[in-house]
Amino acid sequence: MYHWLNALPKAELHIHLEGALEPELLFRLAERNGIALTWANVESLRAAYAFGNLQEFLDLYYQGAGVLRTAQDFYDLTWAYLEKCKEQNVVHTEPFFDPQTHTERGIAFEAVLEGISQALRDGRERLGISSGLILSFLRHLPEEAAFRTLEQALPYRDAFIAVGLDSSEKGFPPRLFERVFAKARSEGLPAVAHAGEEGPPEYVWEALDLLKVRRIDHGVRAAEDPRLIQRLIDEQIPLTVCPLSNVKLCVFRQMSEHNILELLEAGLKVTVNSDDPAYFGGYVTENFAALHEHLGMTEDQARRLAQNSLDARLVH
Ligand code: ADE
Ligand code: ZN
């Protein structure tokens, strides 16, 4: 299905590794680690994947991540995602991970990083997929916690290409993290941030002006502010848009209402990404396919979106 979309060489710039945890692997890891789950089986877990907003999803996503304990678990998760990349001609990926999701429950930062980094290295060598890891801070936790996480990460500075900002958006504006992002920049780490997913256009302004981000993750609500749209066009700031995610989390009621192609035609540097593919019904190709099916995306538009993703990489 959609061979031509699958065949396009693509980069993925917005994927949370914890969001690539498929129910089958989740159950396998729970068994391996002796963790009791509240769901009877894979089907009943999948049946719980119905969300009214971002927070309802995050509650389940953090619960699911609880089965990840050892470096091997993080390796298996990352490797399974890279095999999907190979299948879908994702030739380059810049995944996020949320260290605080794991360190807050007593998992060593080093175990998380070791498993992920080894899989990314093997992905480079055995699958030919280039990559760069983005360390993302959880914005529902205080800035001091982000500072501690950055301190833990700095001895492994070369394992990262950037810092990011994710989790509950409303009520947690980018300005709360201005100092920790300045510190990351002083260490040579560029920034990206989730903004304008559920939050207002002001959060996108703050991400640009205060966090000095190089890309905006989501950013679809920028459409409500013509001055902001003009800035994003003028500066060619990439938006990492996640269509299936936006519908699953009710940012848009249905795919036919999504604004991604309007943003593309207005001259913004938009890209297509999966966000949390295990939870939202598909990886990058399925996201492209949904745009073709419900928005009439043309082959020319698909090629431009794929090219944008290659152009918007932080590392080449
Ligand atoms: N963490 C994982 N997926 C996310 C999303 N779509 N928005 C914010 N935080 C996230
Ligand atoms: Zn995201």
Side-chain angles (χ1 to χ4, degrees):
M1 134 5 225
Y2 295 112
H3 176 72
W4 61 283
L5 291 171
N6 204 67
L8 283 176
K10 305 173 268 295
E12 178 151 54
L13 308 175
H14 185 157
I15 151 85
H16 304 262
L17 287 172
E18 295 88 345
L21 180 56
E22 292 286 349
E24 289 78 8
L25 181 59
L26 191 155
F27 268 77
R28 238 184 301 138
L29 296 182
E31 193 179 355
R32 185 155 97 189
N33 292 325
I35 297 168
L37 295 172
T38 53
W39 310 280
N41 50 42
V42 163
E43 290 68 38
S44 54
L45 173 54
R46 272 226 169 79
Y49 292 179
F51 313 110
N53 54 41
L54 173 59
Q55 192 59 51
E56 286 181 20
F57 157 68
L58 290 171
D59 292 343
L60 193 67
Y61 162 91
Y62 294 126
Q63 201 184 337
V67 303
L68 297 159
R69 294 258 168 104
T70 67
Q72 185 66 48
D73 299 341
F74 287 94
Y75 182 95
D76 293 349
L77 170 68
T78 307
W79 185 253
Y81 164 65
L82 290 167
E83 286 188 314
K84 268 288 179 190
C85 289
K86 187 72 187 170
E87 260 177 60
Q88 298 201 341
N89 280 303
V90 172
V91 297
H92 178 85
T93 180
E94 297 184 356
F96 300 113
F97 79 122
D98 297 331
Q100 289 157 291
T101 297
H102 315 297
T103 54
E104 289 274 316
R105 57 191 175 85
I107 310 296
F109 183 91
E110 285 74 12
V112 180
L113 185 59
E114 183 191 320
I116 294 173
S117 298
Q118 186 60 48
L120 293 178
R121 271 194 297 275
D122 288 353
R124 253 166 249 138
E125 279 174 25
R126 291 167 35 197
L127 304 175
I129 297 169
S130 56
S131 56
L133 185 59
I134 303 177
L135 184 159
S136 201
F137 301 118
L138 297 182
R139 70 202 306 163
H140 69 272
L141 298 177
E143 190 186 35
E144 300 83 76
F147 264 113
R148 284 198 296 277
T149 302
L150 183 58
E151 290 302 332
Q152 278 178 307
L154 284 178
Y156 313 101
R157 164 69 189 80
D158 292 348
F160 311 104
I161 59 159
V163 294
L165 187 66
D166 64 8
S167 191
S168 321
E169 187 181 9
K170 280 187 191 160
F172 300 99
R175 64 176 175 274
L176 299 174
F177 297 88
E178 187 175 356
R179 289 167 304 172
V180 74
F181 272 68
K183 167 77 173 156
R185 260 199 327 281
S186 77
E187 298 287 347
L189 282 164
V192 298
H194 284 53
E197 178 186 18
E198 281 189 345
E202 292 72 48
Y203 287 18
V204 179
W205 285 105
E206 286 183 19
L208 294 169
D209 291 334
L210 304 180
L211 307 188
K212 320 269 188 217
V213 297
R214 303 263 296 268
R215 292 196 295 249
I216 295 286
D217 297 314
H218 294 294
V220 290
R221 286 199 58 195
E224 295 166 26
D225 180 343
R227 271 185 55 241
L228 178 57
I229 287 292
Q230 196 54 53
R231 169 138 183 222
L232 294 169
I233 295 169
D234 290 345
E235 298 184 14
Q236 287 292 287
I237 307 280
L239 300 190
T240 64
V241 178
C242 308
L244 287 174
S245 165
N246 291 153
V247 174
K248 269 284 193 186
L249 301 186
C250 307
V251 173
F252 295 93
R253 267 181 306 178
Q254 47 194 15
M255 194 57 81
S256 59
E257 295 177 8
H258 204 291
N259 64 4
I260 183 169
L261 296 184
E262 287 156 40
L263 296 172
L264 178 70
E265 294 308 331
L268 280 88
K269 201 154 191 69
V270 288
T271 65
V272 177
N273 306 271
S274 70
D275 205 4
D276 300 284
Y279 292 90
F280 299 150
Y283 291 76
V284 175
T285 294
E286 287 81 9
N287 274 273
F288 271 94
L291 301 183
H292 179 62
E293 223 168 277
H294 298 280
L295 291 174
M297 177 187 66
T298 64
E299 186 173 343
D300 174 63
Q301 287 173 323
R303 285 189 190 288
R304 281 151 58 204
L305 288 163
Q307 188 59 49
N308 282 351
S309 71
L310 297 169
D311 297 343
R313 287 177 280 188
L314 288 174
V315 290
H316 285 266

